[in-house]
Structure formats: structure tokens, C-alpha cells
């Protein structure tokens, strides 16, 4: 009888522990949070924080990923406004010595490409998106360690899908 009660108690405790484990994963999941820099908004998770980066228009980082945004205004580069999104994306690849295929995100007004780089003894994976607004091109890059590529590729695309531009709208 004691053995039966022990087994039943152990099973009940195991069940409760499993439920608490699942609830913990659900309860502690990072919530969506909107971030804004100039006229660009993006929804990431609330475990990101904004960093100062003089080389970028905006920079957001979490423990495992980073997002940078660079606005290149038409007024800063004469003739840039005549570029198509494909021309700008190709020029960005060429200027940065990146050999990558360019993709149009289905149903969205942006293009993207992926590439990998090493720095500080680590390998990094990047998914970069390009956007054209009424006054600028934007290059938004999502990065993580290459070992986390599978975990983040879909997240990067989903986050890119949330990008909006308030003052001029995407073309």
C-alpha cells in the first residue's frame, strides 16, 4: 500500500512539474515591443535594448541578436532617389564586398539577402533588408552567431515584416 501511494504521489508530482515547466515557458516568453528611430518603427521583443552607435541610425541588441538600421537620405546622395530598390540592394552588396542572392519578400515591399562574417574569433549570420521610402533608402540588418542561425532566420524575417515608416511611407 505504501509503495502504491509513493508511486501515485511521484506521478502526480511529475505531472505538476511538467505543467509548471510548460507554464513557465509560456509565462516568461518575451513580449512584443515596438521600437522607433526617426520615422522607422519595428516590432521586436522586450528583451532588446537600444544602443548608441554613431555608424548606424539605430541599433537594438538582446543577449543573442542585434538589429541595426541605417537611413541613407536622398538629399545626402544626389541621384540616389532615381535608384530602384534592386539597384540600391545590389550597390549595397557590392560596396560591402558581399556575394549573395537577393530575394523579394513575398507580399512585402522590401528585399533581403543573407551572408556570414567572422569577427573576434566568432562566426556571425546576418539577414539584411532594404527598404525605399519617399526620402531615403533604409538598410536594416539582423545578426546572430552562426550557431543560432536556425533559431533566428524566421524570427528575423518576421521582425522585418513589422517595419513601417511613418512620415513618408514605403514605396
Amino acid at each position: 500500500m505504501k509503495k502504491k501511494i509513493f508511486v501515485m504521489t511521484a506521478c502526480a508530482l511529475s505531472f505538476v512539474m511538467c505543467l509548471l515547466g510548460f507554464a513557465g515557458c509560456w509565462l516568461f516568453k518575451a513580449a512584443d515591443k515596438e521600437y522607433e528611430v526617426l520615422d522607422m518603427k519595428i516590432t521586436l521583443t522586450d528583451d532588446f535594448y537600444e544602443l548608441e552607435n554613431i555608424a548606424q541610425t539605430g541599433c537594438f541588441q538582446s543577449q543573442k541578436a542585434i538589429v541595426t538600421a541605417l537611413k541613407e537620405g536622398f538629399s545626402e546622395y544626389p541621384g540616389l532617389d532615381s535608384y530602384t530598390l534592386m539597384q540600391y540592394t545590389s550597390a549595397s552588396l557590392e560596396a560591402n564586398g558581399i556575394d549573395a542572392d537577393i530575394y523579394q519578400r513575398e507580399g512585402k515591399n522590401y528585399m533581403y539577402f543573407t551572408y556570414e562574417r567572422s569577427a573576434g574569433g566568432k562566426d556571425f549570420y546576418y539577414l539584411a533588408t532594404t527598404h525605399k521610402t519617399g526620402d531615403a533608402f533604409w538598410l536594416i540588418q539582423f545578426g546572430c552567431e552562426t550557431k543560432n542561425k536556425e533559431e533566428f532566420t524566421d524570427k528575423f524575417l518576421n521582425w522585418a515584416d513589422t517595419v513601417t515608416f511613418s512620415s513618408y511611407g514605403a514605396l
Side-chain angles (χ1 to χ4, degrees):
M1 179 74 167
K2 286 184 183 179
K3 188 176 184 182
K4 191 174 187 182
I5 291 173
F6 176 76
V7 170
M8 288 175 53
T9 304
C11 287
L13 283 174
S14 294
F15 179 72
V16 169
M17 294 302 285
C18 284
L19 283 178
L20 288 174
F22 288 124
C25 289
W26 179 76
L27 288 173
F28 297 113
K29 181 181 178 232
D32 287 346
K33 181 178 175 184
E34 188 173 76
Y35 297 84
E36 185 173 358
V37 58
L38 299 180
D39 59 330
M40 189 271 302
K41 291 182 184 178
I42 185 170
T43 301
L44 303 168
T45 57
D46 63 0
D47 56 348
F48 279 82
Y49 55 92
E50 191 166 2
L51 291 174
E52 285 291 322
N53 184 328
I54 61 170
Q56 300 292 321
T57 307
C59 185
F60 310 95
Q61 185 173 344
S62 71
Q63 286 189 349
K64 293 173 101 178
I66 190 165
V67 179
T68 63
L70 178 65
K71 179 179 182 179
E72 296 190 282
F74 297 154
S75 62
E76 300 167 45
Y77 304 97
L80 190 60
D81 61 336
S82 67
Y83 276 47
T84 65
L85 189 55
M86 177 60 90
Q87 288 172 318
Y88 174 79
T89 306
S90 296
S92 294
L93 287 167
E94 185 178 332
N96 290 290
I98 299 170
D99 183 24
D101 293 328
I102 299 170
Y103 303 96
Q104 172 75 45
R105 179 75 162 154
E106 188 174 334
K108 302 293 177 182
N109 289 327
Y110 69 86
M111 302 190 122
Y112 71 96
F113 56 91
T114 63
Y115 64 99
E116 294 182 13
R117 290 269 166 96
S118 295
K122 292 186 177 185
D123 297 324
F124 294 93
Y125 166 75
Y126 298 94
L127 186 145
T129 63
T130 55
H131 309 256
K132 185 175 185 179
T133 67
D135 71 335
F137 280 103
W138 285 79
L139 174 66
I140 301 172
Q141 297 190 78
F142 303 84
C144 66
E145 285 190 61
T146 303
K147 67 182 181 182
N148 298 322
K149 174 181 175 178
E150 295 301 317
E151 175 187 351
F152 279 97
T153 299
D154 286 340
K155 287 179 184 182
F156 289 167
L157 287 169
N158 289 332
W159 292 337
D161 290 347
T162 71
V163 171
T164 59
F165 301 93
S166 59
S167 56
Y168 294 97
L171 298 177

